[in-house]
Amino acid sequence: MKQQTLVLIKPDGLVKSLTGNILTRLSETKLEIIAAKIVKVSPELAREHYQNLAEQPFFEELINYLQGNLHARRKVLAMVYWGEDAITKVRDLAGATNPEEAEPTSIRGAYGRITSKGVYENVIHASSNEKEAEREIKLWFEPEEIILDVYPSQTKTLSIAKRVWA
Ligand code: UDP
Ligand code: MG
């Protein structure tokens, strides 16, 4: 089944110059990148992204981590990968959430670490199922930023202030 999944290279992945390595690993899947951008993560976006973990003791640290407050890189690389069994393929390559338990050859096993405060800095995010993928992709991307029509969209005439080139 063709699927789409959200992939984030988290701030530790960027600060460690791992982007190239991670993209090379992901290209082994033969999946297609159908959207990509660098995002400065607001507190609101970070909280919304990890809303399911709001009750966890590590939540505030996790929100700080995703925003890049723990690293000298306040940004993430957000991408949508698309193709056959995209969700499982990317999750398998990413490896287990806890980098110490992840296969050493997986992305998280190779590059992740646990901070002294107990946060898993695991360099990459990957959607865990189709429902989460839809919620996350719609949170991070507008329809016109994705080159395939992966979810239904509509055209609306809006009157909003928008920054344009001067
Ligand atoms: N996380 C953590 N400690 C935990 C569980 C999760 O620091 O005990 C962090 C870790 O960065 C992880 C993120 O919270 O990637 C989201 O957790 P989730 O359970 O969704 O794991 P994932 O889907 O990223 O494997
Ligand atoms: Mg998750």
Side-chain angles (χ1 to χ4, degrees):
M1 191 193 356
K2 300 273 204 247
Q3 293 174 323
Q4 46 283 349
T5 186
L6 180 79
V7 176
L8 303 176
I9 300 190
K10 295 178 175 179
D12 52 325
L14 294 178
V15 93
K16 291 172 173 174
S17 292
L18 293 173
T19 309
N21 304 40
I22 293 171
L23 295 185
T24 301
R25 294 298 311 277
L26 288 171
S27 69
E28 291 165 18
T29 61
K30 307 278 189 244
L31 297 169
E32 279 184 48
I33 300 173
I34 59 167
K37 62 179 175 182
I38 288 283
V39 182
K40 191 160 187 282
V41 183
S42 66
E44 294 75 26
L45 177 58
R47 285 174 186 281
E48 188 75 22
H49 177 75
Y50 280 133
Q51 61 173 19
N52 304 340
L53 299 170
E55 306 302 319
Q56 299 300 318
F58 56 82
F59 184 66
E60 292 304 323
E61 272 302 306
L62 178 60
I63 296 315
N64 263 329
Y65 164 39
L66 192 65
Q67 288 182 80
N69 295 341
L70 312 178
H71 299 86
R73 286 288 194 289
R74 288 199 171 71
K75 59 187 173 187
V76 306
L77 175 58
M79 297 174 288
V80 179
Y81 275 78
W82 178 86
E84 198 64 31
D85 297 324
I87 293 173
T88 314
K89 280 182 182 158
V90 177
R91 289 285 295 190
D92 286 352
L93 262 185
T97 305
N98 180 339
E100 282 186 359
E101 288 170 4
E103 285 287 326
T105 53
S106 69
I107 295 168
R108 287 168 164 180
Y111 303 123
R113 69 166 197 143
I114 303 179
T115 69
S116 50
K117 288 188 175 164
V119 175
Y120 302 163
E121 285 187 1
N122 50 14
V123 305
I124 187 174
H125 167 82
S127 305
S128 53
N129 56 56
E130 284 196 331
K131 197 159 159 264
E132 276 295 280
E134 178 171 357
R135 185 185 76 80
E136 294 172 357
I137 290 168
K138 288 179 175 175
L139 177 66
W140 287 81
F141 288 93
E142 305 275 350
E144 72 265 22
E145 293 176 314
I146 305 176
I147 62 155
L148 295 181
D149 289 330
V150 288
Y151 304 114
S153 60
Q154 55 182 324
T155 303
K156 263 193 182 173
T157 307
L158 301 173
S159 168
I160 51 165
K162 191 179 169 200
R163 200 140 73 110
V164 295
W165 299 121

